[in-house]
Amino acid sequence: MTDQAAPPEATIPGKPTAASRTTLSHIMTASDTNLLGTVHGGVIMKLVDDAAGAVAGRHSGGPAVTASMDEMVFLEPVHVGDLVHVKAQCNWTGRSSMEIGVRVLAERWNESTPPTQVGSAYLVFAAVDADGKPRPVPPVVPETEQDKRRYQEAQIRRTHRLARRRAIKELRAKRAAEGMGD
């Protein structure tokens, strides 16, 4: 997607970060495990995508689809009986896209110990209309210093995503011109 930051004169009023922030919680069961007996990374990724999708839909005021997921990091294993909390918020918006930041926390379902961060991810969602075409989103309005830092970091990640995409396209075009296409 070649989305650019929304101009300051955007006609859609901005929404504060807190307006769409959400937490999804789920108890992990034996059906969530992998061959090692811990919770499968794909199960966690689905929860991450679900929470991020809820934030994107809330922020944009309608349907939004996952465009990319990057920097999915698994910090600690998750076990059967863990209560997993997936916390998500809109960090940045462009014309039709939004970066959603997600933190994954886990705690034992029957203990009152503080949750441990077990993962994090950044996802880009595109708001779409009934025909599946991109539609404009409201600008996100960072409220706290932490929100402002996340907004700035999201701009850096976006710049890197676009640069990587451009470099790959240039390399593929060069290889094709040299007769070494895929």
Side-chain angles (χ1 to χ4, degrees):
M1 309 220 152
T2 57
D3 196 22
Q4 295 180 356
E9 65 277 3
T11 57
I12 302 172
K15 282 189 177 177
T17 306
S20 58
R21 190 177 288 141
T22 194
T23 300
L24 181 146
S25 297
H26 189 77
I27 295 176
M28 298 291 104
T29 66
S31 65
D32 299 318
T33 60
N34 59 26
L35 295 175
L36 299 175
T38 56
V39 173
H40 194 288
V43 170
I44 301 299
M45 290 173 74
K46 181 174 183 338
L47 294 173
V48 164
D49 191 47
D50 287 347
V55 168
R58 284 177 169 193
H59 183 82
S60 68
V65 296
T66 310
S68 71
M69 174 187 270
D70 49 66
E71 296 186 44
M72 181 72 214
V73 178
F74 297 99
L75 302 168
E76 299 283 337
V78 177
H79 304 280
V80 170
D82 282 352
L83 177 57
V84 172
H85 308 285
V86 183
K87 298 178 175 283
Q89 76 171 45
C90 184
N91 290 337
W92 177 89
T93 54
R95 279 192 311 253
S96 61
S97 68
M98 301 156 276
E99 184 197 87
I100 312 300
V102 181
R103 287 182 45 218
V104 184
L105 306 161
E107 61 182 310
R108 294 307 295 169
W109 71 273
N110 59 348
E111 298 175 9
S112 59
T113 56
T116 302
Q117 184 170 351
V118 296
S120 64
Y122 299 101
L123 296 87
V124 176
F125 276 76
V128 294
D129 63 18
D131 297 322
K133 303 289 184 211
R135 64 180 175 79
V137 299
V140 67
V141 179
E143 300 169 284
T144 66
E145 286 305 313
Q146 191 174 41
D147 292 342
K148 291 173 186 172
R149 175 189 54 80
R150 287 177 177 153
Y151 183 89
Q152 291 170 329
E153 290 173 358
Q155 289 178 305
I156 293 168
R157 283 187 292 275
R158 179 178 182 279
T159 299
H160 288 201
R161 278 191 295 270
L162 293 176
R164 183 178 62 235
R165 182 182 304 137
R166 190 171 38 256
I168 289 169
K169 281 183 178 181
E170 289 170 4
L171 177 63
R172 288 180 179 173
K174 179 182 175 201
R175 289 183 56 85
E178 295 169 352
M180 294 189 278
D182 295 344

